[in-house]
Structures are given as structure tokens and as C-alpha cells.
Amino acid sequence: MQTGLTDIEIIQQVLKGNQSVYASLVNKYQNYVFTIVLRYINSREDAEEVAQDVFVKAYRSLSDFRGESKFSTWLYTIATTSCITFLRKKKLDVHSLDNEKVMAHAENIDGGMRANQVEQKSRVTMVNQAIAMLSPDDAQVITLFYKGEQSLDEIAQVLGQETNTVKVRLHRARQRLKEKMEKHFRAEVSDLAM
């Protein structure tokens, strides 16, 4: 497998006929995609199936990637669309965007529990519970910005909105998250401030 290539260079090679380098994109983004899918689909087996399907769809649509955003942003869009399609077909309930199991999995990818991870995990759980209390729109923009580490421009592209609209939505979502934290986790928030 080749190393040191950017996502764009890998995509260009795949489009020129070197399909084997696509595996490096899969390896690079498999945990990212699986984490996104688990936010929607609670069953691990179904999530694995959908995550695999995301990479198949991405491969088939690679020529449509224009490079105007990060590859991860484009992949996020495919992943969320695939999840929604899967859930519609299965007629399952959509689970919280911030399922505690997802965060536990993401935090434990390195396999070890460090001394402060327990405290960090309880903070993450508290924040996830507060995010789960938000409207789906607020939770989505908070998740994309903080957990997906997407820029305002990238979020605007994913959501099909103007950047300024996303900036306002994020500001309002932060305010509502702060209100939820202060209302439901007052003691924990005051401990964190110390």
C-alpha cells in the first residue's frame, strides 16, 4: 500500500485505474465512518453492513467527488444518507446521534484505559446526554462541528445551507446546550469550573 499520498492524489490514482490504492482510503476512514453509522444504527452487525456499503457507494461515485470540500465531508454525507435509507427500509427507530456506546467505542480504540479516562468518560457521557436533549437539528450541527471537526463552510455544504446560517445555528445550538447543561447537570458543571 502506498503512503504519503493525499486523499486527492489517491482518488486521482483510483480514477486512472489503480483501484488497489482505494484500500488506503478505506483504512484511513473506516473508524470515522463506523462511528458515524453507529450514531444512527444501534445494531453492530447492521452498522458494519451499512459502513461497508458506504465505502462501496463512495467508490462507485468517486468520479463525482469534485474536491471542493474534504473527502471526509463528502464521505460523511454518503454515510448519513446511507443510514437514513437503511432505517427507512428497516422501519427502525432512529437512535440518538450521540449514543453512549459510540463514544465508548471511539475512546477505547487504542485499547487501553488511562487513569484519567474514567473521569473524561463521565464528562463525555454528561455532554452526550445534554446533546441528546437538544432538537435533532441542534444536535446535528453540534456533532458536525465538535465531533466531526468540520468547518462552518463544510457543514454548510453538507446541510445545503449558507455558511452564515450555519454560524447562527451553531451559536444558538451552543446556547441551548449550555442551558441544558446548567439545568440538568448543575452540580457537575460547577465541579468542572473549579
Side-chain angles (χ1 to χ4, degrees), residues 122-132 147 177 181 185:
S122 67
R123 288 180 185 165
V124 169
T125 301
M126 178 181 60
V127 171
N128 286 339
Q129 288 172 348
I131 290 172
K147 294 184 180 179
L177 180 61
M181 295 286 292
F185 304 101

Side-chain angles (χ1 to χ4, degrees), residues 69-181:
S69 64
K70 289 185 201 172
F71 179 72
S72 61
T73 303
W74 187 71
L75 204 54
Y76 179 92
T77 305
I78 294 172
T80 55
T81 304
S82 296
C83 289
I84 292 167
T85 302
F86 175 84
L87 291 170
R88 282 186 186 143
K89 285 181 182 175
K90 289 277 196 167
K91 296 186 180 185
L92 296 174
D93 293 326
V94 177
H95 295 279
S96 169
L97 287 174
D98 296 290
N99 189 321
E100 188 175 28
K101 291 178 189 172
V102 175
M103 291 309 296
H105 171 71
E107 289 176 348
N108 292 322
I109 287 174
D110 66 353
M113 288 292 283
R114 291 181 214 110
N116 65 352
Q117 275 188 319
V118 173
E119 183 177 333
Q120 179 66 23
K121 187 174 179 181
S122 67
R123 288 180 185 165
V124 169
T125 301
M126 178 181 60
V127 171
N128 286 339
Q129 288 172 348
I131 290 172
M133 294 176 195
L134 296 172
S135 71
D137 287 342
D138 286 347
Q140 181 184 42
V141 75
I142 291 278
T143 300
L144 284 169
F145 188 76
Y146 290 105
K147 294 184 180 179
E149 298 180 2
Q150 304 293 316
S151 70
L152 291 174
D153 290 334
E154 291 166 337
I155 295 170
Q157 190 171 11
V158 167
L159 300 178
Q161 297 178 339
E162 295 293 324
T163 302
N164 284 338
T165 303
V166 171
K167 187 175 182 180
V168 169
R169 280 186 59 192
L170 180 61
H171 175 74
R172 290 178 180 162
R174 282 183 189 142
Q175 287 299 114
R176 288 190 273 271
L177 180 61
K178 180 181 175 189
E179 290 166 9
K180 297 289 185 194
M181 295 286 292

